[in-house]
Amino acid sequence: MAGSVAFAIEAFKRIHPVEFERRFLSQGTRHDGRAPGQFRALSVAKGTISTAHGSSTVRLGNTTVVCGIKAEVCEPDVKTPDEGYLVTNVDLSPMCSARFRAGPPGESAQVASEHLARLFAGGVVDLRELCIESGQAAWVLSADIVCLRHDGNIIDAAVVALMAALEDLAVPAAAVESGVVSADRTKGRRLTLRRRLFPATFTLVDDTCVVADADDAEEQLATAAVLVVVDARGRLANVWKRGAGA
C-alpha cells in the first residue's frame, strides 16, 4: 500500500508539477517539508584540492560545488599598474544536471560568472595585494567553480564556495629580478579579505509564494528571484533580482 501511494504521488508530481507545488505552498509548507523561509543544510570544507592554491567544497542540500583557485603571473593593465586580477568561471555541465548541455558555457553559467566577478573583485579582494612589481608583474587568480550536482540555488553555493576558497588561498611569494619573476611556491601568504559575504536567495514560485533557497523543482516554476548578500557586520553588500515577476 505504501509503495502504491508513493508511486501515485511521484506520478502526480511529474504530470502536474505546478499543481503539486501549489498544494504544498497553500498549506504553508514545501514538498521537501521545509517552511517557506527555511534554508537547507549547508556544509563547507576547505583545502579539498591539493593542486590548487586555494580550494573548497560546498554542499547546500543536494547542490554540490567545488571551487579551485590557481595563481599565475601576468602583466598588469596599464590603467591599473598596481593591481592584479580575479577571474571567475562557473561550470554547469550535463554531468551535474540534464538541464545543461555540453559545449561552450550557457547563459546561466556566464551570468553567474560575471556577477561573482563584480561581487568579489575590489569588494572582497584588494587587487593591489596581487601586485608583484608595479607595471611589470602581478598575480591573476583564476577561480573555477564546478557544479558536481545541481539541485537549485547554484548562486548561493558558488558565493560560499568562492569565499571559502579565498580564505584558504595562499599566494606564493614572488619577486622580479632583472625582468624575470621568481616565485617560491613553498612559501605563501594569505590575502587580507575586506569582508566576508553571506548570500541568501529568495524565489517567487508560480507568482504565489516567496521561498528561501529554492531547490531545482521550485526553480523550474520560478518567475523571479532576488539574491541578497550581507557581510559579517550585517551591512548590505549586494541585491540582484532576476526574472520578470514582481
Side-chain angles (χ1 to χ4, degrees), residues 7 86 168 174:
F7 176 80
L86 172 63
D168 180 61

Side-chain angles (χ1 to χ4, degrees), residues 18-184:
V18 175
E19 186 60 31
F20 181 81
E21 295 294 339
R22 282 175 179 165
R23 294 196 179 188
F24 282 97
L25 295 173
S26 66
Q27 301 297 319
T29 187
R30 298 155 77 174
H31 67 269
D32 58 3
R34 286 185 290 159
Q38 184 178 354
F39 291 79
R40 292 172 292 179
L42 174 70
S43 65
V44 181
K46 299 178 183 178
T48 53
I49 304 176
S50 60
T51 55
H53 294 105
S55 62
S56 69
T57 299
V58 168
R59 290 193 62 183
L60 180 59
N62 290 324
T63 295
T64 306
V65 300
V66 173
C67 178
I69 301 178
K70 293 286 287 185
E72 299 177 332
V73 177
C74 69
E75 184 176 344
D77 193 296
V78 293
K79 297 180 180 179
T80 53
D82 299 318
E83 295 182 0
Y85 306 90
L86 172 63
V87 180
T88 59
N89 176 60
V90 177
D91 183 12
L92 301 174
S93 72
M95 294 182 62
C96 71
S97 173
R99 293 174 57 184
F100 308 110
R101 297 182 179 181
E107 181 180 353
S108 297
Q110 292 183 52
V111 170
S113 299
E114 292 174 5
H115 191 75
L116 285 175
R118 290 195 300 267
L119 183 61
F120 279 83
V124 174
V125 177
D126 186 351
L127 299 180
R128 292 172 298 181
E129 289 195 10
L130 301 178
C131 178
I132 300 174
E133 187 73 27
S134 179
Q136 297 186 41
W139 290 109
V140 53
L141 303 180
S142 299
D144 290 308
I145 302 161
V146 179
C147 182
L148 302 181
R149 183 176 182 183
H150 187 285
D151 190 28
N153 203 3
I154 187 65
I155 294 293
D156 281 17
V159 171
V160 174
L162 181 53
M163 191 75 242
L166 287 170
E167 293 173 343
D168 180 61
L169 176 68
V171 179
V176 177
E177 299 178 1
S178 302
V180 178
V181 178
S182 59
D184 186 353

